Amino acid sequence: MDPVIVVGAGPVGLALSLSLARLDVPSVVLDEAPGAIDPRPARTVVLRPDTTAFLTRLGCGPALESTGTRWTAWRAVRRRRLLERVEFGPEAPSPLHVPQHALTRALRTALAGEPLARIVADSRLDELKQDAYGVSAHTRGSNGAWWRASYLVGCDGPRSTVRKLLEVRFPGRTAVERHAVAALRTELPWPGEALLHRSPARQGGGGSGGEVTARPLPGGLWRLDWLLPPGRDLVTPDALVARIRDSLAVWTAEAASGSGSGAGTDFGGRAGPGGGSGSQAGAYGAAGAGSRAPAGAGDPRLPAVPPYELLDTGVHTVHHRLARRWRRGRAFLAGDAAHLLGALGTQGLDEGLRDAENLAWKLALAWHQGASEALLDSYQAERRGAVTARLRAADRALPLLRDGERGGRWRAVLPGAARGHTAMLTDGHLGRGPLGAPPAYARSPLAPATDPAGTLPVGTPVGAPVADVPVTAPDGSQVPLRSRLGHGLLVVLVAPGTGVWERRHWKSAGLMPRLTKAVEALPMRAEVLVAEAYPGAVAHTVLVVRPDGHLVAAMGGVRPAELYACADAVRGGGTGGGSGEAGTGAGVAGSDGAGGRTGEPSRTAGERAHTGARSEPYPETRAGSYPDTRSGPYPDMRSESRPVPHSKPHPEAHSEPHGEPAADRRPESHPSGGPLPVDGAFPQAGGETPGGAPGSVSRDVPEGVSEAQVRSAGG
């Protein structure tokens, strides 16, 4: 069977390819770039515990821990008052703050050791064609050719060529937030702690305003983000340097004076470093501004600026967009190609990695055993529904946190509103609550039609991610539960006292023989684990856990029929063609919201073009299998796919790349900036490519592709 093609070599595409390789599925990553990694100190990502665990299972854990930083605490301050301080430890793990180029390098290094995966650089997709057997994709560049695949996944960023070729619209909101960003080396008064400072005092006592976030990196580096006021005013180098100096001076002065106590804790925790200009002349030169005297020089009323070295700057604009469809036939969208988000501290890359984890095991099951339409459709139902809920939560919170704060009306109406608003922002930054918590697929299409007999309540709701409790693995070792995810179902028996079992006898003790026999009869791969305890579970509770860590069911005792029903539901209820809406005519399936028809003529480029400059609230369509959340430009869409009988894959054929087509089908070019761009060129934090409104890609789909023209992605 043909490999899976992954379009795009950003973190999401690389993680998906690596995850497929670990599931014995071959894949090819088509990388439009020449393959070099661009190190940008100001482009960093914050990984939540669940996505960090996913990357660790892929073999990237040591590299990420050595290049990233885990915070010791998070502090939220308003003006000079500490409103909240969250300490991290083994029971409450910190997010992992990593330079994005380090994450990309770690994924590429792990992928280089996988014989089932390869990256093809300088391969720009310009055509794709689907049929009942797979996908044919054409690339331009030094490796231009026709490629053949069983499935194709577009992980090619906000300007996704895959999305445009599939004629999927990308509605949403433009310029939800805008941030100035700087990476610098300095010493701040709270080493190892991240800070959210709302309405900070200005240098010289000139009032307060704005919002700034400071997050540490290894080697004394910090990433600072300033929320910019609405509008498109140019952020000049002088203005950005002034923000840096203002923030550093205020923090140092307040820490030194011991002001800003709240809840019995000082703002800075200790006195800050002494004044001085440090290496500012070089920093200003790098940022494009002339050197100047340190703050406070000749004016005792102004606080001194601590030494710092400016390494990188930028401005990025946050857009909120959501593709109307995430699956069209055998082609899928993931990451920034499917959604853009990032306001209020949320991280778009986290959602992209969750896309990859959700889709990888489903494609692996389809590749090895065939897949029902329910299994393949569940990717869109689950992931699009989760991102829709995240976007709508942000849409509801934005007026309260931004417009209301500027007008001051919420502070007047709601006592303690400032503390509540800060808590909402903390949730977004730390991955908690509606703005940031890992999603729960409570009404997933892959859930059993009815609750299994003997269902028991546990501390984890059905559909939510399981707790990472210690478990005994089949080889007798004790490991974290989430470390066993990814390869099939997990069936966990809660059996208090197993710690005293002899490892060589544990499989023959208690309920284990019956449970092992029941699991061996399941219709998909499964593994039996034993836990001494699980939150809210009584003895002899059996948990069924999906490959991506979401709870399917919790039952009392060994129930073979119920276990089988759960496994059958998780695999989508059987196998089928798995080709969905793949049209067999001249083009890919038709316009949004309607299923494709065989032989449907392709539309012109002008008919397909969408500027994406405004919000497009499309008519609402209920998503029968997912919670109906209405309002705004992110409607829930049903997959509307049609089953096609499963048949043998298209035979592989190899050929030399043929010539370039007469028409230039090059996708939109990405904006390019200098080594230290100051405005307009810096991508969304955690994004894979610079953002922007979607455009169009002109293409002429051929009537047919002969075997002599087709090059297998595995060849």
Side-chain angles (χ1 to χ4, degrees):
M1 189 169 179
D2 292 309
V4 173
I5 287 180
V6 178
V7 182
V12 174
L14 296 173
L16 176 60
S17 178
L18 187 55
S19 188
L20 289 171
R22 299 296 166 85
L23 296 169
D24 299 322
V25 176
S27 64
V28 171
V29 180
L30 300 180
D31 185 6
E32 181 178 328
I37 299 175
D38 179 22
R40 290 290 307 278
R43 184 186 297 178
T44 65
V45 295
V46 178
L47 301 172
R48 316 300 187 208
D50 65 308
T51 51
T52 303
F54 171 54
L55 293 170
T56 299
R57 292 196 301 274
L58 296 181
C60 300
L64 296 181
E65 294 289 347
S66 63
T67 57
T69 295
R70 291 189 180 274
W71 310 329
T72 57
W74 165 271
R75 56 177 61 229
V77 177
R78 180 174 175 81
R79 292 198 173 97
R80 297 184 176 184
R81 184 183 181 192
L82 179 65
L83 296 181
E84 184 176 14
R85 187 173 185 274
V86 180
E87 293 190 2
F88 301 109
E91 299 301 322
S94 158
L96 182 62
H97 189 203
V98 186
Q100 183 163 318
H101 66 267
L103 170 59
T104 302
R105 183 180 296 112
L107 287 165
R108 282 181 173 268
T109 301
L111 205 58
E114 287 291 345
L116 292 177
R118 63 184 177 124
I119 302 174
V120 183
D122 194 18
S123 295
R124 185 182 304 114
L125 180 73
D126 65 353
E127 294 185 39
L128 66 86
K129 180 181 178 68
Q130 299 194 53
D131 53 48
Y133 307 105
V135 183
S136 297
H138 184 263
T139 58
R140 298 180 59 193
S142 60
N143 288 303
W146 280 103
W147 302 82
R148 185 67 180 175
S150 54
Y151 298 96
L152 180 143
V153 186
C155 303
D156 47 344
R159 299 177 181 272
S160 170
T161 301
V162 174
R163 189 183 64 241
K164 296 165 191 172
L165 293 176
L166 295 176
E167 300 178 357
V168 174
R169 304 179 80 176
F170 200 36
R173 306 190 191 282
T174 299
V176 177
E177 287 185 346
R178 201 161 63 109
H179 296 258
V181 182
L184 48 91
R185 181 177 284 108
T186 189
E187 183 180 357
L188 294 185
W190 52 91
E193 298 188 15
L195 169 75
L196 168 66
H197 197 172
R198 306 185 69 203
S199 301
R202 288 178 179 163
Q203 221 173 253
S208 63
E211 178 180 298
V212 59
T213 306
R215 290 172 286 199
L217 285 164
L221 269 62
W222 292 80
R223 168 170 166 165
L224 274 58
D225 292 66
W226 294 267
L227 178 66
L228 299 174
R232 294 189 174 274
D233 296 338
L234 183 68
V235 180
T236 65
D238 282 342
L240 186 53
V241 169
R243 287 179 180 271
I244 295 171
R245 295 166 60 81
D246 188 72
S247 297
L248 296 182
V250 167
W251 292 335
T252 300
E254 292 184 350
S257 66
S259 64
S261 63
T265 306
D266 288 342
F267 169 83
R270 65 175 180 86
S277 60
S279 58
Q280 285 150 26
Y284 299 145
S291 62
R292 55 181 73 176
D299 188 349
R301 295 172 300 172
L302 298 180
V305 179
Y308 71 93
E309 178 187 2
L310 182 58
L311 304 175
D312 194 11
T313 63
V315 173
H316 75 269
T317 302
V318 176
H319 306 288
H320 278 181
R321 295 190 175 278
L322 187 67
R324 291 203 62 174
R325 312 184 68 89
W326 290 26
R327 178 197 173 202
R328 200 170 274 273
R330 290 177 174 266
F332 300 81
L333 299 174
D336 286 352
H339 50 76
L340 292 176
L341 69 163
L344 306 179
T346 58
Q347 291 283 320
L349 182 58
D350 261 342
E351 297 299 340
L353 293 173
R354 289 165 182 154
D355 296 344
E357 185 177 22
N358 185 285
L359 183 57
W361 70 268
K362 296 173 181 178
L363 289 182
L365 200 60
W367 198 88
H368 288 293
Q369 301 181 15
S372 68
E373 291 301 306
L375 177 67
L376 298 179
D377 284 344
S378 69
Y379 167 67
Q380 173 175 297
E382 292 175 349
R383 291 301 306 140
R384 192 181 188 279
V387 175
T388 298
R390 190 84 74 226
L391 286 168
R392 289 184 176 160
D395 280 351
R396 295 187 188 103
L398 273 166
L400 182 68
L401 294 170
R402 302 302 187 216
D403 299 336
E405 279 294 302
R406 281 191 285 269
R409 56 191 178 93
W410 292 108
R411 294 196 302 276
V413 174
L414 299 175
R419 186 178 294 275
H421 296 173
T422 300
M424 292 175 64
L425 285 169
T426 296
D427 284 350
H429 282 280
L430 299 187
R432 309 185 309 193
L435 289 176
Y441 309 132
R443 298 174 61 187
S444 166
L446 303 185
T450 59
D451 290 340
T455 295
L456 296 174
V458 296
T460 301
V462 170
V466 293
D468 197 18
V469 299
V471 295
T472 301
D475 61 0
S477 62
Q478 193 169 67
V479 295
L481 171 57
R482 297 191 66 86
S483 70
R484 309 299 292 188
L485 296 175
H487 295 283
L489 283 180
L490 298 182
V491 180
V492 184
L493 172 65
V494 179
T498 53
V500 300
W501 291 0
E502 288 190 37
R503 294 293 184 257
R504 59 194 179 92
H505 296 311
W506 76 281
K507 288 187 178 181
S508 61
L511 298 178
M512 283 298 295
R514 289 179 55 206
L515 183 59
T516 302
K517 184 176 180 180
V519 168
E520 289 173 351
L522 296 181
M524 62 180 293
R525 178 179 176 179
E527 181 179 56
V528 179
L529 303 171
V530 178
E532 284 215 44
Y534 189 87
V538 298
H540 299 163
T541 298
V542 174
L543 310 174
V544 182
V545 183
R546 288 177 13 162
D548 54 359
H550 291 260
L551 182 66
V552 179
M555 300 170 285
V558 179
R559 299 175 178 270
E562 285 76 7
L563 284 172
Y564 191 97
C566 288
D568 194 52
V570 169
R571 68 178 183 134
T575 60
S579 59
E581 293 181 69
T584 57
V588 189
S591 61
D592 294 311
R597 295 189 299 272
T598 301
E600 179 177 345
S602 62
R603 297 184 292 167
T604 65
E607 292 172 321
R608 289 194 301 268
H610 305 288
T611 63
R614 61 183 176 85
S615 171
E616 296 185 57
Y618 296 112
E620 189 65 45
T621 302
R622 293 184 68 92
S625 60
Y626 207 83
D628 183 25
T629 51
R630 314 186 203 202
S631 74
Y634 316 114
D636 292 317
M637 298 295 296
R638 194 166 41 202
S639 179
E640 297 185 24
S641 57
R642 308 180 202 170
V644 176
H646 185 65
S647 53
K648 295 182 179 180
H650 193 284
E652 290 189 4
H654 304 264
S655 71
E656 294 298 322
H658 54 74
E660 296 284 353
D664 183 6
R665 304 184 182 89
R666 179 175 300 177
E668 293 180 49
S669 61
H670 295 170
S672 60
L676 292 175
V678 175
D679 199 15
F682 197 80
Q684 173 183 358
E688 297 166 21
T689 57
S696 62
V697 176
S698 176
R699 65 182 176 92
D700 297 314
V701 180
E703 290 299 325
V705 180
S706 67
E707 291 189 12
Q709 293 176 299
V710 176
R711 176 179 175 181
S712 169

